[in-house]
Amino acid sequence: FDLDLDQINADRYVSQTPANANAPKDDKPLDLTALKALNADGSLRIGALKFGKIQSSNIRIDLKADGEKLSLSPLAAKVDDSQIQASLGIARFADPIYSFNVTIDKLDADRYITKSDKPAAKSTGDTPIDLSALKKLNASGEAKIGWLKLANVKTSNVHVGVKAEGGIAQIAPFSADLYQGSMAGNLKVDARSTPSIAFKQEMKNIAVGPLLVDAINNDMLDGKGNLNLDVTTQGATVGALKKGLTGTA
């Protein structure tokens, strides 16, 4: 196929209330076995797309599927103020393996996070940690973001690598430039039995004043500093994770 569309208002064709909005939570893995019957090769271009509050333009998607693997490459679009270039792949549909590579020039993530007026529920020591979804996840890839704002904290040159397989998920590298300094580290989560977490992070020459103002609207400190974390913990509840915390800071 080769489709070229000038514009689409997707809101006209999508129900505002999903039919399964009140359905019970289903923890079954996503069933993609139907893709084994798909053989396709084509290109889709959309000049402008409106979906809810999101405005996209210059969309291009090239799709290939041969019954063993589905790939979207390239997948490119201008979404609000962000220019996105990506490639996505799915293989072994009965037990999916995901791969991805995403580059975004700039992203204001706060504009897509729904803020609730209700205060967040406090976690008690007995609150369970559910990482069972990681046991079913097989994925690898990386994301690069030129400029990112999240929780009002601004960073640049963000580089995140992800690998998840067999109940173990690792984020490495996990690096960025922020507030006249830099950060680099990695995070490893093992969900095979009792959840365990290992986190390393090194922050160098951070201007702490602007960081505190943006993060918590507090200017009680000023100056530059370094932070080194190398911590591990394990436990099936919030309380157990706190009690099992060890390492250096």
Side-chain angles (χ1 to χ4, degrees):
F1 61 92
D2 188 9
L3 302 177
D4 200 339
L5 310 176
D6 62 345
Q7 59 182 329
I8 299 177
N9 182 355
D11 294 336
R12 298 179 60 179
Y13 310 104
V14 179
S15 170
Q16 299 302 313
T17 303
N20 62 346
N22 298 317
K25 183 179 178 182
D26 186 357
D27 290 330
K28 293 182 179 179
L30 188 63
D31 185 2
L32 301 176
T33 53
L35 292 177
K36 291 182 178 181
L38 179 63
N39 285 276
D41 187 352
S43 181
L44 170 65
R45 295 171 300 281
I46 304 174
L49 171 66
K50 181 181 180 299
F51 182 66
K53 296 180 179 180
I54 298 176
Q55 300 280 350
S56 304
S57 60
N58 298 326
I59 300 168
R60 177 180 174 179
I61 302 173
D62 284 5
L63 180 149
K64 288 186 178 181
D66 60 8
E68 296 182 357
K69 183 178 181 179
L70 181 147
S71 65
L72 303 176
S73 181
L75 191 161
K78 178 80 171 180
V79 180
D80 294 326
D81 297 327
S82 303
Q83 182 64 51
I84 301 173
Q85 298 283 341
S87 61
L88 306 174
I90 305 174
R92 203 178 68 189
F93 302 130
D95 186 13
I97 299 175
Y98 302 94
S99 60
F100 64 91
N101 192 307
V102 181
T103 300
I104 304 174
D105 61 346
K106 59 181 179 179
L107 175 62
D108 182 354
D110 290 340
R111 71 187 297 175
Y112 304 108
I113 298 175
T114 303
K115 296 180 180 180
S116 175
D117 295 330
K118 297 180 181 179
K122 292 184 177 180
S123 298
T124 66
D126 294 330
T127 302
I129 302 297
D130 184 9
L131 300 177
S132 58
L134 289 181
K135 297 179 181 179
K136 308 166 187 173
L137 180 63
N138 286 285
S140 63
E142 64 177 8
K144 295 180 179 180
I145 305 174
W147 180 90
L148 171 66
K149 182 165 81 75
L150 177 62
N152 207 43
V153 173
K154 290 100 173 172
T155 59
S156 59
N157 298 320
V158 180
H159 185 192
V160 179
V162 176
K163 183 174 179 59
E165 184 178 10
I168 299 177
Q170 187 163 5
I171 298 177
F174 179 38
S175 62
D177 296 332
L178 70 165
Y179 299 91
Q180 303 174 38
S182 62
M183 57 175 268
N186 61 77
L187 171 68
K188 183 178 180 180
V189 180
D190 189 340
R192 289 176 296 181
S193 54
T194 301
S196 65
I197 300 172
F199 180 56
K200 293 182 180 181
Q201 187 67 54
E202 182 180 17
M203 303 176 74
K204 296 180 179 180
N205 207 33
I206 304 297
V208 84
L211 173 59
L212 288 177
V213 170
D214 284 352
I216 60 174
N217 194 28
N218 190 308
D219 61 355
M220 63 181 178
L221 293 177
D222 199 8
K224 291 188 176 183
N226 304 321
L227 172 66
N228 290 285
L229 291 175
D230 187 352
V231 296
T232 62
T233 188
Q234 64 176 4
T237 65
V238 171
L241 288 177
K242 291 179 179 180
K243 190 176 294 185
L245 190 63
T246 185
T248 59

